[in-house]
């Protein structure tokens, strides 16, 4: 067996590994020439600083996902299985993920996440765990055996209120297209009712073959400090008789949306396996729609 490289090695080695990892995982959503900027300060097995900056990148909301490329060194079957040869523990003392802004298609979104004291393990294998991903011969994973109580963080994300229509339209267009329809126009109004409640009204115009119709939606979205997001007072109407009939048949689905809440901690996998939970989640609506939270 050939000698294995030291992992983590130096800051340059970690930066290059992270750049390759990000490109493998999200490269299909980025332009061919776009790259995140990664900065690493390494003290022994501790990352004193890990900064990942996605500012001014453009993320394509509905890309054509390319088939994974097979690693030419491992396309043929091999009897040799990847073996763990070294594990070293360390800490990410300061993690910063930022985008000031990042563009979802043409819509700017600003985001900032900062975490402190994340216990990690550096794993080194003889071969990539996934042959199509050469980076998988090395790993940085959360140290589930360490005390997570010192882990702390904060996050905020914001979008211009005037850009919310474009964000929702980009998300809805593929779903509407799957129904054989075309989204023609959308108007969205957002207002803050109280510190935890936001009112949202939307007018959606679409076309399907000869049918042109307008759907009006009103809802209140309640956001709790514990990370629960619930839809209240949801009303969906249309003056088009055919669409109104379709909405009548969909009333059980509409009712279900109001009965179920979204738990951000559950959706993001937080609060388990040593990870912190979303706490003190807040929303503010003015010229921007801003969500802020602490991670404890």
């Amino acid at each position: 067996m050939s000698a294995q490289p030291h992992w983590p090695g130096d800051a340059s080695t970690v930066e290059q590994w992270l750049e390759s990892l990000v490109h493998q995982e999200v490269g299909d959503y980025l332009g061919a020439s776009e790259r995140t900027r990664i900065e690493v300060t390494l003290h022994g097995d501790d990352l004193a600083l890990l900064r990942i900056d996605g500012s001014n990148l453009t993320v394509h909301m509905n890309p054509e996902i390319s088939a994974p490329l097979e690693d030419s060194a491992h396309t043929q079957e091999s009897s040799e299985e990847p073996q763990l040869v070294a594990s070293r523990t360390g800490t990410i003392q300061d993690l910063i993920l930022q985008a000031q802004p990042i563009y979802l298609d043409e819509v700017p979104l600003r985001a900032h996440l900062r975490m402190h004291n994340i216990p990690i393990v550096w794993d080194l294998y003889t071969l990539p765990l996934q042959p199509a991903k050469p980076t998988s011969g090395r790993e940085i994973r959360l140290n589930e055996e360490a005390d997570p109580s010192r882990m702390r963080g904060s996050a905020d994300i914001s979008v211009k209120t005037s850009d919310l229509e474009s964000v929702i339209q980009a998300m809805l267009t593929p779903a509407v297209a799957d129904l054989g329809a075309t989204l023609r126009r959308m108007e969205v109004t957002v207002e803050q009712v109280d510190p935890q409640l936001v009112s949202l009204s939307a007018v959606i115009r679409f076309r399907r073959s000869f049918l042109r119709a307008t759907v009006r939606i009103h809802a209140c979205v309640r956001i709790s400090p514990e990370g629960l997001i619930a839809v209240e007072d949801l009303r969906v109407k249309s003056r088009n008789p055919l669409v109104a009939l379709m909405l009548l048949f969909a009333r059980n689905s509409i009712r279900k949306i109001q009965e179920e809440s979204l738990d951000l901690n559950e959706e993001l996998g937080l609060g388990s396996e040593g990870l912190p939970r979303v706490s003190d989640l807040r929303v503010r609506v003015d010229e921007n729609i801003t969500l802020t939270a602490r991670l404890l």
Side-chain angles (χ1 to χ4, degrees):
M1 181 184 301
S2 60
Q4 296 296 320
H6 178 58
W7 178 240
D10 55 21
S12 178
T13 299
V14 178
E15 286 178 1
Q16 292 175 17
W17 179 82
L18 287 168
E19 288 169 358
S20 297
L21 179 67
V22 172
H23 178 67
Q24 288 175 16
E25 296 300 326
V26 301
D28 287 312
Y29 295 86
L30 303 175
S33 62
E34 296 193 85
R35 293 289 187 273
T36 53
R37 290 165 293 282
I38 297 175
E39 177 186 353
V40 168
T41 301
L42 190 65
H43 291 165
D45 294 330
D46 291 333
L47 283 166
L49 172 66
L50 171 55
R51 186 196 306 271
I52 301 178
D53 188 349
S55 298
N56 299 313
L57 297 183
T58 297
V59 177
H60 303 290
M61 298 283 284
N62 301 292
E64 293 184 6
I65 305 297
S66 60
L69 297 175
E70 291 294 329
D71 181 17
S72 59
H74 301 290
T75 52
Q76 297 181 351
E77 291 188 8
S78 171
S79 60
E80 186 177 0
E81 294 291 331
Q83 301 294 324
L84 179 65
V85 293
S87 285
R88 307 170 69 93
T89 59
T91 302
I92 303 178
Q93 297 170 356
D94 193 4
L95 168 66
I96 301 172
L97 305 178
Q98 63 186 32
Q100 303 293 335
I102 192 169
Y103 293 87
L104 304 182
D105 288 328
E106 297 181 356
V107 178
L109 179 77
R110 296 183 178 274
H112 189 273
L113 167 70
R114 189 161 194 170
M115 294 289 299
H116 303 285
N117 302 318
I118 305 172
I120 58 172
V121 179
W122 307 84
D123 283 340
L124 178 64
Y125 292 86
T126 55
L127 294 171
L129 298 175
Q130 303 176 57
K133 296 183 177 181
T135 57
S136 64
R138 304 178 183 188
E139 284 189 336
I140 302 175
R141 60 180 173 84
L142 185 69
N143 186 355
E144 299 176 12
E145 298 179 358
D147 180 7
S149 62
R150 294 177 61 243
M151 205 185 318
R152 294 286 186 274
S154 62
D156 66 76
I157 183 170
S158 68
V159 63
K160 288 184 178 179
T161 305
S162 58
D163 286 331
L164 185 61
E165 290 177 11
S166 299
V167 173
I168 296 176
Q169 184 166 337
M171 297 171 63
L172 283 182
T173 296
V176 172
D178 288 342
L179 298 174
T182 302
L183 192 61
R184 295 173 51 229
R185 188 178 175 187
M186 174 183 296
E187 301 166 12
V188 178
T189 302
V190 183
E191 297 179 348
Q192 184 144 19
V193 179
D194 62 39
Q196 295 181 9
L197 192 65
V198 172
S199 171
L200 185 149
S201 298
V203 179
I204 302 173
R205 295 177 172 86
F206 68 92
R207 181 182 71 249
R208 180 178 180 181
S209 186
F210 63 89
L211 175 67
R212 291 174 179 261
T214 298
V215 175
R216 300 177 183 274
I217 302 173
H218 173 79
C220 288
V221 181
R222 184 170 298 280
I223 300 174
S224 76
E226 296 78 22
L228 295 176
I229 300 178
V231 176
E232 302 176 355
D233 189 26
L234 176 59
R235 288 169 276 162
V236 186
K237 299 180 179 179
S238 177
R239 294 179 180 177
N240 183 291
L242 181 58
V243 176
L245 180 61
M246 294 169 62
L247 292 174
L248 182 62
F249 283 109
R251 64 184 182 277
N252 288 336
S253 298
I254 294 173
R255 185 183 302 115
K256 187 176 180 181
I257 292 174
Q258 298 184 89
E259 293 173 348
E260 296 181 354
S261 60
L262 175 69
D263 187 336
L264 282 182
N265 285 297
E266 182 177 324
E267 290 295 318
L268 298 175
L270 299 175
S272 61
E273 298 180 349
L275 291 172
R277 293 181 61 83
V278 170
S279 175
D280 196 23
L281 179 64
R282 301 185 184 189
V283 60
R284 185 178 70 252
V285 178
D286 41 41
E287 63 180 15
N288 297 309
I289 301 173
T290 304
L291 285 172
T292 61
R294 290 189 296 164
L295 300 171
L296 302 174

